[in-house]
């Protein structure tokens, strides 16, 4: 059986009685003020009748650049990244088409991921929480998100949120903290731990040397917490801070299974302030990292490079959201 004939822009132009250039303007949303309304409508009708689909890769090669923006992220199933995507999409509007790419589970975006999409000649690439130490430079603009130390990066000012967290725990009488880290290679997680340890020392608190590491899922967090909870308690830990809310949910699950009162016997806090953190049992205290704001800031920086500028975006503020898991 022969394969169906591929519909081309030339076929659409013939059906609409216009030029291929006019078809290109209409299907790429660039017809306003350049193509009359009746002709544009004829082109759209022909597109619908013939089932024409724009070949963005071919168009990019012909123009030398495309109208696609690629967002590479390590885990699109995480609610945090959904907020990042919303911020990017709202800022790019209809000027660019957003393409989403997720790396293999548990792997941070790397140089190879950027190179793979660079060959499509998109307008630009956004890389969320890349692996530390990667060279992400490319022939198209690249903006990194939540990548401390990275070039052309949009980051959070974590210092304020971390200090508020430590001061809150110290004020509640805690003196020894357990830390549940992520296995991620992203620089942001190393920074979160380093800032917490520094702030704790300055406030007279101690971070237990019994530090756990888990993939950023509830089940992984619960698995590691189940192994460390008794040693933490034996070590004098009265509060556990997790590098991400998803890990903190795992700690809450294990504490409930063990019959530990939260926060009476064990306080628990996280990072991100995901929407579900307000409805856990008990509700989770968390350092708020607004994902939508991060996406908007990154998209604005990328747009600035398209328009001939290089906007310097200040670090995004963070704050502590106190809930019942530390303040019973």
């Amino acid at each position: 059986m022969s394969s169906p004939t591929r519909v081309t822009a030339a076929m659409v132009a013939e059906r609409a009685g216009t030029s291929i250039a006019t078809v290109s303007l209409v299907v790429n949303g660039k017809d306003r003020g350049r193509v009359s309304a009746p002709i544009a409508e004829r082109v759209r009708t022909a597109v619908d009748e013939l089932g024409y689909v724009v070949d963005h890769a071919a168009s990019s090669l012909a123009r030398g650049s495309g109208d696609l923006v690629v967002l590479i992220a390590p885990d699109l199933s995480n609610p945090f990244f959904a907020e990042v995507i919303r911020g990017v999409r709202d800022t790019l509007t209809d000027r660019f088409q957003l393409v989403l790419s997720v790396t293999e589970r548990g792997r941070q975006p790397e140089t190879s991921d950027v190179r793979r999409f660079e060959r499509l000649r998109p307008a630009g690439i956004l890389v969320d929480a890349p692996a530390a130490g990667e060279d992400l430079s490319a022939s198209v603009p690249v903006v990194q998100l939540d990548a401390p130390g990275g070039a052309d990066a949009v980051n959070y000012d974590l210092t304020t949120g971390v200090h508020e967290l430590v001061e809150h725990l110290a004020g509640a009488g805690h003196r020894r903290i357990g830390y549940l880290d992520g296995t991620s290679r992203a620089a942001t997680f190393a920074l979160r731990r380093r800032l917490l340890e520094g702030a704790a020392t300055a406030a007279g608190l101690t971070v237990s040397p019994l530090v756990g590491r888990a993939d950023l899922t509830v089940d992984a967090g619960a698995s590691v917490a189940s192994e460390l909870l008794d040693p933490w308690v034996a070590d004098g830990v009265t509060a556990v801070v997790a590098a991400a809310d998803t890990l903190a949910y795992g700690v809450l699950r294990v504490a409930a299974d063990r019959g530990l009162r939260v926060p009476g016997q064990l306080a628990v806090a996280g990072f991100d302030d995901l929407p579900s953190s307000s409805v856990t049992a008990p509700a989770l205290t968390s350092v708020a990292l607004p994902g939508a704001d991060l996406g908007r800031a990154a998209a604005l920086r990328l747009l600035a490079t398209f328009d001939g500028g290089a906007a310097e975006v200040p670090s995004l503020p963070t704050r502590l959201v106190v809930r019942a898991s530390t303040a019973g």
Side-chain angles (χ1 to χ4, degrees):
M1 180 182 294
S2 61
S3 60
T5 302
R6 179 177 175 274
V7 178
T8 66
M11 296 165 66
V12 174
E14 181 178 1
R15 172 71 65 94
T18 187
S19 67
I20 295 175
T22 298
V23 171
S24 178
L25 288 173
V26 174
V27 299
N28 286 293
K30 299 178 181 178
D31 56 299
R32 182 176 297 179
R34 305 168 74 177
V35 179
S36 68
I39 293 177
E41 184 59 31
R42 289 210 310 267
V43 170
R44 294 188 184 98
T45 298
V47 166
D48 290 340
E49 291 175 350
L50 295 174
Y52 175 65
V53 177
V54 180
D55 186 340
H56 288 287
S59 299
S60 297
L61 291 172
R63 294 193 305 270
S65 65
D67 62 353
L68 301 180
V69 169
V70 179
L71 171 61
I72 306 172
D75 183 8
L76 296 182
S77 65
N78 189 311
F80 174 80
F81 293 111
E83 287 296 296
V84 172
I85 293 167
R86 180 170 66 85
V88 172
R89 178 68 273 168
D90 290 349
T91 305
L92 293 179
T93 63
D94 294 331
R95 181 177 172 186
F96 297 94
Q97 298 192 52
L98 182 62
V99 174
L100 307 177
S101 173
V102 59
T103 60
E104 291 87 353
R105 188 170 186 83
R107 183 175 68 80
Q108 304 306 120
E110 301 171 348
T111 303
S112 59
D113 298 301
V114 172
R115 297 289 174 266
R116 183 177 302 113
F117 285 101
E118 182 184 16
R119 291 192 288 269
L120 295 178
R121 299 189 186 181
I125 300 174
L126 302 172
V127 187
D128 201 335
E134 293 287 313
D135 177 12
L136 302 182
S137 59
S139 59
V140 299
V142 176
V143 174
Q144 301 181 50
L145 294 74
D146 201 11
D152 294 317
V154 177
N155 289 303
Y156 293 111
D157 178 6
L158 291 168
T159 303
T160 300
V162 170
H163 276 271
E164 289 179 354
L165 172 59
V166 170
E167 289 174 1
H168 169 66
L169 294 176
H174 299 284
R175 292 295 176 264
R176 198 163 182 84
I177 300 171
Y179 192 68
L180 180 52
D181 205 348
T183 55
S184 167
R185 289 178 54 206
T188 182
F189 288 96
L191 180 60
R192 293 174 198 187
R193 178 175 173 180
R194 186 165 65 250
L195 289 175
L196 180 74
E197 291 174 341
T201 298
L205 279 66
T206 303
V207 176
S208 171
L210 302 172
V211 174
R213 294 173 63 86
D215 292 343
L216 302 181
T217 67
V218 178
D219 288 343
S223 177
V224 174
S226 66
E227 297 176 358
L228 277 177
L229 196 53
D230 289 340
W232 268 333
V233 171
D235 191 42
V237 166
T238 58
V240 173
V241 175
D245 282 3
T246 50
L247 298 179
Y249 300 159
V251 178
L252 290 176
R253 177 198 293 176
V254 174
D257 290 344
R258 300 285 178 85
L260 287 175
R261 297 189 311 277
V262 177
Q265 294 174 288
L266 185 74
V268 181
F271 281 83
D272 289 334
D273 189 32
L274 298 178
S276 49
S277 294
S278 63
V279 295
T280 54
L284 181 70
T285 291
S286 184
V287 177
L289 309 179
D293 289 352
L294 185 70
R296 279 190 287 269
L300 285 173
R301 183 165 186 139
L302 190 63
L303 290 173
T305 66
F306 299 157
D307 297 330
E312 288 297 325
V313 181
S315 296
L316 301 174
T318 60
R319 64 186 180 89
L320 179 68
V321 179
V322 177
R323 298 193 179 95
S325 67
T326 61

